[in-house]
Amino acid sequence: MPITAVERLLTGDARPRADARRNVERLVAAARTAVAEVGVEVTAHEIARRAGVGIGTFYRRLPSREALLEAVLLDTVDEIIALAHRALDDPDPWHGFREFTYAYVQLRTASCGINEALGGDGGPGLEPALAKLRDAIRRLVERARETGALRADVAWQDVPFLLATVIPGARTIGLRAGADQWRRNLDVILTGLRASRER
C-alpha cells in the first residue's frame, strides 16, 4: 500500500503532536485543491491561506512548498498506477485498457496540476513513480495488443501521447467545448486504436 502525502511529510516526526498532524492534513488538503485549480505554480502563501493557517505554520510543519507539492502529486500518480494494476487484473484486456483510459483522462481533466506534472513539470522526485506508470501502461497496451484487441501497429509509447491530446482547449474556431468533450474525443481515439476485427 503506497504511503500518503501526510505520511510522506511526517516521516521525520516519530510521533507528531495531534495539532501538528492536523495542520499537515489541512495543508495537504488545501494543496490538493489548489494544485487542481491553479497548477504546480501555486504559492505557499495561497496554500496556507486556503488551509486557514499562517505562513509561519506552513514552514514549521513542512520542509518546503516543493516537498508538499511533490507529496500531493505522488498521491495522484500512485492512484493512477493502482488504476492501471486493477485494469491489468481485468480478465478482458480491452475492457481493462478502456476503463483505465477513462479514469486516467478524467484525473488529468480534473486537475490542472496533475496534467502539468504528467507533462514533465512535477519535478525530479516524481520520476520513480512515473517510471512505474510507464511500465504499467506498457503492460496494458502489450496485453491488449497480444490478444488482438488493440491494433498491432500501435506502440505502447503512442498511447500516453494520444491520451494527452484528449483534453480539449476551452474553445476552437468559435466553438466552446462542453464538459463531456473529453469523453467524445476519447471514444474516437479508442475506436481508432481497436483492432478492426473487434470494431
Side-chain angles (χ1 to χ4, degrees), residues 124-172:
L126 285 185
E127 184 47 39
L130 292 178
K132 288 180 187 173
L133 178 57
R134 286 191 296 272
D135 181 61
I137 291 174
R138 177 190 58 77
R139 289 166 55 206
L140 276 170
V141 171
E142 288 174 354
R143 181 174 176 250
R145 201 174 48 215
E146 285 163 9
T147 58
L150 188 73
R151 286 172 36 176
D153 62 334
V154 175
W156 78 264
Q157 297 94 331
D158 295 332
V159 171
F161 286 105
L162 289 168
L163 296 180
T165 68
V166 169
I167 302 168
R171 297 173 176 273
T172 185

Side-chain angles (χ1 to χ4, degrees), residues 109 165-185:
T109 303
T165 68
V166 169
I167 302 168
R171 297 173 176 273
T172 185
I173 65 162
L175 300 171
R176 185 178 295 279
D180 69 337
Q181 186 62 52
W182 69 268
R183 288 180 190 276
R184 295 173 59 77
N185 294 353

Side-chain angles (χ1 to χ4, degrees), residues 22-173:
R22 271 194 307 276
N23 282 335
V24 171
E25 288 168 352
R26 289 167 69 182
L27 286 162
V28 165
R32 190 170 282 120
T33 305
V35 163
E37 292 172 7
V38 179
V40 295
E41 296 303 316
V42 66
T43 66
H45 285 276
E46 174 63 11
I47 295 168
R49 184 190 67 74
R50 288 174 180 239
V53 302
I55 194 68
T57 299
F58 182 102
Y59 284 110
R60 266 194 312 280
R61 297 292 167 236
L62 303 172
S64 66
R65 179 191 76 93
E66 292 74 20
L68 172 61
L69 295 183
E70 183 179 291
V72 166
L73 292 169
L74 276 170
D75 269 5
T76 306
V77 175
D78 284 345
E79 182 183 343
I80 296 170
I81 293 167
L83 290 168
H85 288 160
R86 272 200 297 283
L88 284 165
D89 290 337
D90 191 314
D92 179 337
W94 178 256
H95 182 265
F97 174 76
R98 188 185 69 220
E99 292 303 302
F100 169 76
T101 64
Y102 279 102
Y104 175 79
V105 174
Q106 189 168 24
L107 277 169
R108 286 191 76 149
T109 303
S111 174
C112 177
I114 196 62
N115 203 29
E116 292 168 346
L118 293 174
D121 293 337
L126 285 185
E127 184 47 39
L130 292 178
K132 288 180 187 173
L133 178 57
R134 286 191 296 272
D135 181 61
I137 291 174
R138 177 190 58 77
R139 289 166 55 206
L140 276 170
V141 171
E142 288 174 354
R143 181 174 176 250
R145 201 174 48 215
E146 285 163 9
T147 58
L150 188 73
R151 286 172 36 176
D153 62 334
V154 175
W156 78 264
Q157 297 94 331
D158 295 332
V159 171
F161 286 105
L162 289 168
L163 296 180
T165 68
V166 169
I167 302 168
R171 297 173 176 273
T172 185
I173 65 162

